[in-house]
Amino acid sequence: MTLANAKVVGINGNMVTIEFDGNVSMNEVGYVNVDGKKLKGEVIRIRGNKAQMQIYEMTQGIKTGDVVELSGELLCAELGPGLLGQIFDGLQNPLPLVAEKAGFFLEKGVYIESLPRKVKWEFTPIVKPGTKVMRGDAIGTVLEGPFTHKILVPFDMYGIYTVKEITKKGKYTIDETMAVLSDEKGKNHKVTMTFKWPVKRAVDCYAERLAPSEPMVTQVRLIDTFYPVSKGGTYCIPGPFGAGKTVLQHTTSRNADVDIVIIAACGERAGEVVETIKEFPELKDPRTGESLMKRTIIICNTSSMPVASREASVYTSVTLAEYYRQMGLHVLLLADSTSRWAQALREMSGRLEEIPGEEAFPAYLESYIAAFYERAGFVKLRDGSSGSVTIGGTVSPAGGNFEEPVTQATLKVVGAFHGLSRERSDARKYPAIDPIISWSKYNSVIKQNLVNYARKVYLSGVEVNQMMKVIGEEGTTTSDYIEYLKSEFLDAVYMQQNSFDEVDAAVSVERQKYTFAKVVSILGSDFELKEKDEARNFFNQMRQKFIDWNYSPWKSDKFKNAEKDIDAHYKSADGKLRDDVKKLLKDGE
């Protein structure tokens, strides 16, 4: 293939216009030669013999006439063993190695291979000569951390291949030939442990795509019970600055029922990213007892890094997630924050002089966001196993305004909406997910009729609270006031958690079901409480007893004693469970 010759004829911020002769493709990668350094960029528009490239580096020093080398390749991620535990930038450069080479202040034009070349992996073949294979099929395995990493036939090898040679069991580097595959025309192809795949093209090497139905347990009660997420599903966490989006993501990444967590810090403040990088190696993985970093990949692109590379970080992270999904693993991708990716799109759209949409975002914003979230999914692979990519994206709307374009475009495509509110955050309620505006299309870990009843009680209590703000407590009937107290009780003992408490920070599904049944039995009971003061005292004490119960280790003596204390307090007010709620609880068992 003959590569085109090109030179710079215009510069506008991080976008350069090039003039070329020959063939140039959309999304082709090119390098601008500046003072002996090559700055990486991507073709984003072609008009005649001119094209616009977005540069993934700072563009100071570029001038008209500079030579541009076009690679003939699309922007790709390198896939293979050695990805887990790594910290990459948006272009998949390992940042610790970049820091070793360039120092604390990253230099432009520094590119390092993504995967370690000298490490030897213990390869075990799982196919024999004569076996028929297709792209995405496994030919062998290596052990990577706590997982069996499958060595796959490269995703770009379309058609049916016959295994001609397969390497015997032993230790090899990723660039050594593991197999020789023969295509239908008899041509031989060498396969190593690593290959590349364009990041903007979804991986589709599976037998069937299934509807997400299996819950992804986060061990956050409010999410698992009221606003659940399914494996292979999508959800978003919009909220104002400082409402706890990052904290909630950290808790989820630690306790979620998934194999691998990928964090895409897309345009976040450097302080937050540094906190993530420092905390994760120290966090203890509850599944293995080792460092959480061993099953985590961080794609780090701070707000001080070049704007265009935010887009690369989003697509690189989802490509890595799809790669591990092809091994039959369940992957959680946390993108923080998609608002800053959208801002990068807006900036590039302005430089391309495209007709702006709402709030100057490009008119194609919705389709870009939809295409990203559509790469989530629960799939059945050809070997009979299943894997999933679950995508959770945070949105940072200015001033907490959920009517802005990025939030609205995201809401149209996700399956669950966890809206954080400033009011709940300021009240020190964790998680600050607002039960009034949040929703989910997925199945809860608890029977839906019980969840619906509890939500009905909560909303009824909120209405009474709104009414009391107008007419005061004195103008409210005792029965209405008790309804308000029940709503506050549900909020305090179940919807909130103490992320600093060793027991209450993460709650198993078994415990959630048991606790929720007890909470519903209190919500659905009539009490002999004649005065508002008496009702207030009763529910305040009940709330504290429940919180103490939540802090007690599951099924311990402390847990059992706290439950007896709750039952005794319930009887002290002559509590009687209503027949309709009794039936609900029986059906929910």
Side-chain angles (χ1 to χ4, degrees):
M1 177 181 172
T2 305
L3 301 179
N5 298 312
K7 63 179 180 179
V8 175
V9 293
I11 307 111
N12 182 4
N14 63 324
M15 185 187 79
V16 300
T17 302
I18 63 171
E19 193 174 73
F20 62 89
D21 58 57
N23 296 319
V24 172
S25 304
M26 274 292 288
N27 303 118
E28 184 174 344
V29 171
Y31 297 87
V32 181
N33 286 292
V34 181
D35 301 327
K37 293 183 178 179
K38 295 181 179 181
L39 307 188
K40 196 171 189 175
E42 178 188 11
V43 175
I44 56 174
R45 187 168 72 181
I46 302 170
R47 293 287 185 273
N49 69 333
K50 290 184 179 178
Q52 275 75 40
M53 287 177 64
Q54 61 177 354
I55 306 300
Y56 292 122
E57 302 275 9
M58 296 299 183
T59 54
Q60 289 118 328
I62 297 180
K63 56 187 180 297
T64 56
D66 283 344
V67 175
V68 178
E69 296 177 16
L70 291 159
S71 65
E73 297 178 351
L74 303 182
L75 184 66
C76 292
E78 188 172 27
L79 307 174
L83 291 167
L84 292 183
Q86 293 260 39
I87 301 168
F88 297 112
D89 67 3
L91 300 175
Q92 215 189 350
N93 293 304
L95 284 174
L97 297 182
V98 173
E100 280 180 23
K101 186 173 181 179
F104 290 110
F105 298 98
L106 302 184
E107 296 177 11
K108 56 187 180 181
V110 176
Y111 307 113
I112 296 177
E113 289 179 317
S114 308
L115 299 174
R117 257 50 204 180
K118 295 180 180 178
V119 174
K120 291 198 171 186
W121 302 89
E122 183 73 43
F123 176 78
T124 304
I126 58 173
V127 294
K128 296 177 180 178
T131 305
K132 301 286 185 183
V133 293
M134 298 171 67
R135 66 193 192 105
D137 288 348
I139 58 169
T141 62
V142 300
L143 196 63
E144 183 185 17
F147 302 106
T148 299
H149 186 116
K150 295 179 181 178
I151 304 303
L152 306 176
V153 177
F155 301 152
D156 58 355
M157 291 180 66
Y158 295 87
I160 299 173
Y161 294 81
T162 305
V163 178
K164 193 171 182 182
E165 297 175 23
I166 184 74
T167 304
K168 62 182 181 180
K169 185 174 181 179
K171 290 190 174 182
Y172 306 94
T173 61
I174 61 172
D175 290 323
E176 292 183 67
T177 301
M178 295 295 103
V180 177
L181 307 181
S182 177
D183 63 22
E184 292 162 306
K185 294 180 179 178
K187 186 179 178 182
N188 292 336
H189 303 264
K190 293 181 179 180
V191 174
T192 65
M193 292 189 197
T194 180
F195 60 92
K196 292 182 178 181
W197 180 256
V199 296
K200 292 184 179 178
R201 186 183 300 168
V203 177
D204 56 357
C205 311
Y206 48 80
E208 189 179 2
R209 188 179 176 116
L210 306 173
S213 58
E214 185 183 335
M216 185 194 77
V217 177
T218 64
Q219 299 196 36
V220 177
R221 286 189 295 256
L222 184 55
I223 294 176
D224 293 340
T225 301
F226 289 95
Y227 310 109
V229 179
S230 287
K231 287 180 181 175
T234 55
Y235 67 102
C236 70
I237 310 175
F241 294 102
K245 296 188 293 293
T246 306
V247 174
L248 186 56
Q249 281 201 333
H250 283 199
T251 306
T252 305
S253 60
R254 184 179 182 185
N255 299 308
D257 179 26
V258 293
D259 299 308
I260 289 169
V261 178
I262 298 177
I263 296 175
C266 172
E268 278 299 294
R269 292 185 294 273
E272 286 189 20
V273 177
V274 168
E275 191 178 316
T276 301
I277 292 170
K278 282 187 174 180
E279 279 187 7
F280 266 70
E282 295 175 8
L283 285 177
K284 187 178 178 182
D285 185 354
R287 302 176 75 182
T288 62
E290 299 183 32
S291 169
L292 185 63
M293 198 66 200
K294 288 196 172 181
R295 61 182 182 94
T296 303
I297 304 172
I298 297 176
I299 310 291
C300 166
N301 192 88
T302 66
S303 53
S304 59
M305 289 180 174
V307 170
S309 54
R310 293 180 190 178
E311 187 183 18
S313 65
V314 167
Y315 288 113
T316 298
S317 59
V318 75
T319 303
L320 299 187
E322 289 173 328
Y323 174 61
Y324 280 101
R325 180 200 67 193
Q326 291 303 121
M327 299 177 198
L329 298 174
H330 298 286
V331 187
L332 172 62
L333 167 58
L334 299 171
D336 187 15
S337 129
T338 55
S339 290
R340 295 188 173 94
W341 166 42
Q343 287 163 9
L345 290 176
R346 178 168 62 184
E347 189 170 316
M348 287 311 302
S349 177
R351 293 203 168 120
L352 289 168
E353 297 181 358
E354 295 171 334
I355 297 173
E358 190 179 352
E359 291 189 23
F361 283 104
Y364 48 79
L365 175 69
E366 285 189 14
S367 62
Y368 269 51
I369 289 176
F372 168 65
Y373 281 102
E374 279 169 8
R375 291 178 72 168
F378 193 98
V379 301
K380 185 178 179 182
L381 302 171
R382 280 195 290 270
D383 63 2
S385 63
S386 58
S388 68
V389 172
T390 308
I391 298 181
T394 67
V395 187
S396 307
N401 173 27
F402 290 172
E403 299 302 315
E404 58 88 43
V406 182
T407 307
Q408 289 301 308
T410 305
L411 285 180
K412 290 178 181 178
V413 295
V414 295
F417 168 58
H418 301 160
L420 306 186
S421 73
R422 171 64 67 196
E423 184 183 358
R424 288 181 72 83
S425 173
D426 289 346
R428 298 293 184 268
K429 292 181 178 181
Y430 173 83
I433 297 171
D434 192 334
I436 305 293
I437 61 173
S438 300
W439 49 263
S440 174
K441 299 176 184 175
Y442 302 119
N443 296 325
S444 172
V445 297
I446 292 171
K447 288 288 179 68
Q448 197 60 46
N449 53 2
L450 280 178
V451 177
N452 291 342
Y453 178 77
R455 186 182 286 116
K456 182 182 174 184
V457 172
Y458 178 79
L459 294 175
S460 176
V462 169
E463 284 180 13
V464 175
N465 186 25
Q466 296 295 332
M467 185 175 65
M468 286 198 308
K469 289 178 181 178
V470 178
I471 62 175
E473 190 179 309
E474 300 79 12
T476 311
T477 63
T478 304
S479 61
D480 278 352
Y481 189 68
I482 289 174
E483 196 75 5
Y484 157 71
L485 290 173
K486 284 181 177 179
S487 174
E488 290 290 293
F489 167 76
L490 172 62
D491 190 354
V493 306
Y494 199 85
M495 291 181 171
Q496 295 175 46
Q497 279 176 248
N498 185 346
S499 63
F500 295 104
D501 184 80
E502 198 171 306
V503 175
D504 199 39
V507 185
S508 67
V509 171
E510 187 184 5
R511 181 165 184 162
Q512 285 185 48
K513 290 179 177 178
Y514 191 86
T515 307
F516 194 66
K518 181 76 74 174
V519 169
V520 169
S521 67
I522 290 169
L523 299 178
S525 293
D526 295 320
F527 298 97
E528 290 296 322
L529 301 167
K530 304 297 183 187
E531 302 293 332
K532 291 172 188 169
D533 286 343
E534 185 185 359
R536 188 189 300 112
N537 289 335
F538 170 79
F539 277 100
N540 281 347
Q541 290 178 45
M542 182 64 87
R543 179 180 62 189
Q544 191 54 52
K545 291 177 189 299
F546 253 88
I547 290 172
D548 293 340
W549 193 39
N550 287 339
Y551 292 170
S552 307
W554 175 235
K555 290 187 175 179
S556 65
D557 290 339
K558 187 180 176 184
F559 179 88
K560 293 171 184 174
N561 291 334
E563 188 176 7
K564 287 177 184 175
D565 201 14
I566 288 169
D567 293 339
H569 189 61
Y570 177 84
K571 288 176 184 175
S572 71
D574 198 18
K576 288 184 175 61
L577 187 61
R578 298 174 197 148
D579 290 338
D580 59 329
V581 181
K582 195 179 291 184
K583 186 176 185 304
L584 278 177
L585 287 167
K586 190 175 181 181
D587 293 342
E589 289 176 355

